[in-house]
Amino acid sequence: MAETNGNFFEDFHPGLTLKHAIPRTVTEGDQSLYVALTGDRRPLHCASTFAQRLGFRRETVHDLLVFHMVFGKSVGDISLNAVANLGYAELVFLKSVYPGDTLRAESRVLGVKQNSSGKTGIVWVETTGLNQDDEAVLRYVRWVMVHKRDTASPAPVASPPKTKSALSVDELVIPAGFKAPVGELYETGSARFFEDYEAGQSLAHAGGMTIEDADHMSATRLYQNTAKVHFDGHGMSESRFGRRLMYGGHVMSVCHALAFGGLENAVGIAGFNGRSEERRVGKECRSRW
């Protein structure tokens, strides 16, 4: 590989802690651009009056925008030389973020495992997003396939960590100051509440959205996600994929926006149990409870 910036598989070992560069102050403009790129319609993130009615001091930054910006901070150290991001686990949102807050990120390497080809390896990290007061706003584990710098270098001792298949209720955080609204929630346009859902129920959300290359490129720039697999069309044309890969997190955001119809009165995201993989095409958005 011609460029050697960023870390390669050999640079990681369990216990390594990385404080990622370039903190980011989140603005109202970032929030508006996120809405433009995803079509999100949740009033908590675009109406200060509604947010204040729920006990927040103003509209909050969308949970997934917070996630993407924290994720983007980690790319330069963790996945600049990635083949693909493979999954997430134990993602929990810990504190509301407001326009004007400044986000930064730290990661700790949990484990590594070289792949049988000897050309790549998998790195597991736990990343924490923090605000300007050093308060954790979210935390998650992810695993990513990273190129080796030298395929002849010896394989490290395999140390894949065990991740939880699901978060416990005790790990989920109710936003500070949240209060249940009184009266009709006309702002959301829906009369469906907690009692109208049950475990195992499936919701097929109406509508769809075609993601254009321009949308994806604008989104990854907004998130400051500079992974080569997303940015370098020329370099990726020579890869086994033949083109850039779409950042899977942006697919998550579009699907979350499409899921508004049917989940209009959801307050926010408490955490993720599932896994997300890189996709070039998103086909359908479906929620399962």
Side-chain angles (χ1 to χ4, degrees):
M1 300 180 68
E3 297 184 11
T4 58
N5 56 314
N7 290 317
F8 289 84
F9 178 69
E10 299 96 316
D11 300 316
F12 298 100
H13 59 83
L16 175 66
T17 298
L18 298 162
K19 292 189 176 183
H20 306 299
I22 314 174
R24 174 78 174 270
T25 300
V26 189
T27 68
E28 294 174 355
D30 296 327
Q31 186 98 308
S32 295
L33 183 53
Y34 180 82
V35 170
L37 293 169
T38 65
D40 192 87
R41 295 180 288 157
R42 300 178 188 276
L44 178 60
H45 310 306
C46 61
S48 60
T49 52
F50 179 71
Q52 289 164 358
R53 188 177 166 195
L54 299 187
F56 300 94
R57 65 175 186 262
R58 61 172 300 182
E59 72 278 14
T60 63
V61 177
H62 197 291
D63 298 314
L64 288 178
L65 179 55
V66 173
F67 169 77
H68 297 322
M69 287 192 167
V70 169
F71 183 100
K73 302 297 104 188
S74 72
V75 167
D77 294 317
I78 304 296
S79 49
L80 190 66
N81 295 307
V83 179
N85 199 63
L86 300 179
Y88 307 104
E90 303 176 26
L91 170 57
V92 60
F93 292 88
L94 302 169
K95 189 177 181 64
S96 298
V97 174
Y98 295 92
D101 285 347
T102 298
L103 300 175
R104 64 180 185 87
E106 298 179 358
S107 294
R108 178 170 58 93
V109 178
L110 302 178
V112 297
K113 181 180 182 294
Q114 182 168 299
N115 290 324
S116 58
S117 69
K119 299 178 181 179
T120 60
I122 300 173
V123 180
W124 286 263
V125 299
E126 179 186 67
T127 298
T128 302
L130 304 107
N131 65 16
Q132 65 276 5
D133 297 318
D134 287 336
E135 299 168 320
V137 300
L138 64 79
R139 183 175 292 112
Y140 63 92
V141 173
R142 72 161 165 144
W143 46 105
V144 56
M145 188 186 302
V146 183
H147 287 289
K148 290 184 68 177
R149 178 183 289 106
D150 178 7
T151 57
S153 63
V157 175
S159 55
K162 291 184 178 179
T163 57
K164 299 175 184 177
S165 59
L167 294 164
S168 70
V169 174
D170 293 339
E171 293 176 281
L172 305 179
V173 177
I174 298 175
F178 172 75
K179 59 183 181 183
V182 177
E184 181 185 359
L185 279 181
Y186 72 90
E187 296 96 335
T188 67
S190 174
R192 282 178 283 200
F193 292 92
F194 176 79
E195 297 87 348
D196 299 307
Y197 303 96
E198 59 184 30
Q201 179 181 358
S202 292
L203 303 173
H205 306 289
M209 183 184 298
T210 301
I211 304 177
E212 308 290 351
D213 271 353
D215 299 334
H216 170 243
M217 292 308 299
S218 295
T220 48
R221 291 183 182 118
L222 170 64
Y223 312 145
Q224 295 181 319
N225 181 342
T226 57
K228 297 173 185 177
V229 295
H230 307 317
F231 263 47
D232 188 354
H234 176 73
M236 287 301 293
S237 67
E238 301 173 357
S239 73
R240 62 189 177 95
F241 300 108
R243 61 176 298 182
R244 290 177 303 197
L245 293 183
M246 183 170 293
Y247 168 46
H250 187 61
V251 178
M252 290 161 49
S253 279
V254 171
C255 287
H256 185 260
L258 291 171
F260 177 75
L263 297 171
E264 299 90 344
N265 284 321
V267 176
I269 303 173
F272 281 0
N273 294 327
R275 293 157 59 160
S276 171
E277 297 180 352
E278 297 289 349
R279 301 290 184 189
R280 279 181 284 178
V281 179
K283 294 183 178 179
E284 180 180 306
C285 292
R286 183 181 297 271
S287 295
R288 184 168 179 82
W289 294 76

